[in-house]
Amino acid sequence: MESYNSFKTAQRQIIEAAKILNLDEATTQLLSEPQKEFNFSLHVKMDNGKVKIFKGYRIQYNIARGPAKGGIRYHPAETVDTIRALACWMTWKTAVVDLPLGGGKGGVCCDPKSMSLRELENLSREYIRTIAPFIGVDKDIPAPDVYTNPQTMAWMMDEYETIMNNHQPGVFTDKPTQVGGTEGRRDATARGGVITVREACKLLGFDPTKKFAIQGFGNAGQRAALLHHELLGGGKLIAVSDSRGAIYSPDGFNSKELVMHKLKTGSITGFPGSKKIPHEQLLELDVEVLYPAALENAISINNAKNIKAKIVCELANGPTTPEADLILNKKGIHVIPDILASAGGVTVSYFEMVQDKYSFFWDEKTVHQRLDQKLTNAYHRVHEAVMEKKIHPRLAAMVVGIARVAEACKLRGWV
Ligand code: GLU
């Protein structure tokens, strides 16, 4: 998944932002380490009757602004440092969109694609049996992430409520609507990203009705394909990829049919009328907008110099390596950084928590309007920091988020 340590990158970013903000040493140190980490072994009964042991993690990176918030990933290449980095970025992400939340992340080192539904349910319930005392509506609220989904959250919530012997749906977000989920959560990450692209186009004069490409066609990628047309009034989707391959069509795909094909066959490959292309070629196509929506480190020193997109809207967490970032900046590519571009998901997660607390649910239109307002404000706040401090957007987003977290730590008397 990665050839180097994402957490070291996250720590370097903190030092860079701390310099700009003139943070004292204690604050910088405090922000450079997770506040709490839980590492555990999960013993799970598999379909063959044998027990298998998995490594699990939950990290509450910083809770100065509110309870920890962030997803749980199931991935074979999971490491504690990946989770640390992602928990750290969640902290700045919730702060950039000004949510009253901290940051966290969890994960299990497993290969979900080779596991049955029952094995995944056993694993999810065991994860909660282990971590239940340390999470809660006012402590730490997990959500889905890579290879977990609303069904995973429903199992986890059910296990948690059984242990606690009461109803507490708000302890997990992105649940199915039938069990306390909110309207508008499933497309929230993509919607947030497309809203930031809309603002960038208005402000900087890019044209969203030209060509675009999507790397990764999971939930975020699929929704971005549909929403780019819907919210930006056009655009030609000329290339998409998933873990099985990349496809290209110079005339543009019908996004709806492509999503249907993916849902039916499990992959985008073999879509009628498409041409197979190498993965790397997708990233290097001449497009107005490129959405990286897969895993970390997709844009690296190996391909950054060939990227021709005008806007890179990071729907994935950490898709650009630091070296690649420098190259993109030098080339004048407008990067909308992950902690801003992908903040729509956690924003609507927060709306879900609020609705669960009140046990009163909003309609989809209200969710969309409130999300739009949050992401539009955040985009412009980050742009102001770009202009004020003459820094690139990723650092500007860090500066905005880190300043808010540092202030909360100071007000609490931690530093
Ligand atoms: N996993 C998503 C993210 O990385 C959502 C987190 C959440 O809703 O808590 O932003």
Side-chain angles (χ1 to χ4, degrees), residues 69-71 90 93 105 141 143-145 173 185 317 342 345-346 349:
K69 184 86 192 82
M90 275 313 296
K93 192 188 285 195
K105 202 72 144 201
I141 304 100
D145 205 286
T173 59
R185 177 63 183 84
N317 288 308
S342 74
V346 72
S349 274

Side-chain angles (χ1 to χ4, degrees), residues 229-284:
H229 303 296
E230 194 185 314
L231 299 184
L232 306 180
K236 213 194 256 184
L237 175 59
I238 60 160
V240 288
S241 68
D242 64 15
S243 57
R244 293 204 216 150
I247 55 170
Y248 172 76
S249 158
D251 302 326
F253 292 112
N254 178 322
S255 295
K256 272 191 196 138
E257 283 173 14
L258 191 57
V259 170
M260 298 274 280
H261 178 82
K262 167 88 187 181
L263 294 177
K264 221 166 53 202
T265 66
S267 175
I268 43 112
T269 52
F271 184 67
S274 68
K275 180 178 158 228
K276 229 177 156 200
I277 54 168
H279 261 114
E280 312 76 60
Q281 202 179 323
L282 176 135
L283 296 167
E284 299 171 7

Side-chain angles (χ1 to χ4, degrees), residues 102-218:
K105 202 72 144 201
V108 178
C109 193
C110 66
D111 181 12
K113 287 189 180 168
S114 71
M115 292 169 73
S116 73
L117 215 55
R118 189 166 62 175
E119 289 170 340
L120 288 169
E121 178 174 350
N122 288 347
L123 174 71
S124 306
R125 290 185 184 275
E126 175 65 9
Y127 187 95
I128 295 310
R129 282 196 288 277
T130 312
I131 200 76
F134 310 108
I135 62 171
V137 281
D138 296 312
K139 263 192 229 174
D140 180 358
I141 304 100
D145 205 286
V146 172
Y147 296 134
T148 49
N149 55 35
Q151 174 64 76
T152 323
M153 296 303 110
W155 291 327
M156 290 187 165
M157 179 196 71
D158 182 68
E159 192 64 29
Y160 184 81
E161 291 188 339
T162 306
I163 294 167
M164 296 299 165
N165 196 27
N166 66 10
H167 194 56
Q168 294 188 34
V171 63
F172 297 94
T173 59
D174 200 352
K175 302 178 293 293
T177 46
Q178 297 88 335
V179 287
T182 177
E183 296 295 338
R185 177 63 183 84
R186 280 284 78 197
D187 74 6
T189 304
R191 186 174 288 272
V194 173
I195 289 167
T196 62
V197 169
R198 181 193 68 202
E199 293 309 300
C201 289
K202 273 200 254 169
L203 199 70
L204 306 168
F206 300 114
D207 183 358
T209 63
K210 289 188 177 164
K211 293 181 269 186
F212 68 106
I214 302 179
Q215 183 245 359
F217 216 56

Side-chain angles (χ1 to χ4, degrees), residues 25 31 45 71 79 195 213 235 289 296 336 388:
E25 207 182 316
L31 299 182
K45 227 179 236 133
T79 68
I195 289 167
V289 187
E296 297 92 82
I336 310 179
E388 250 170 54

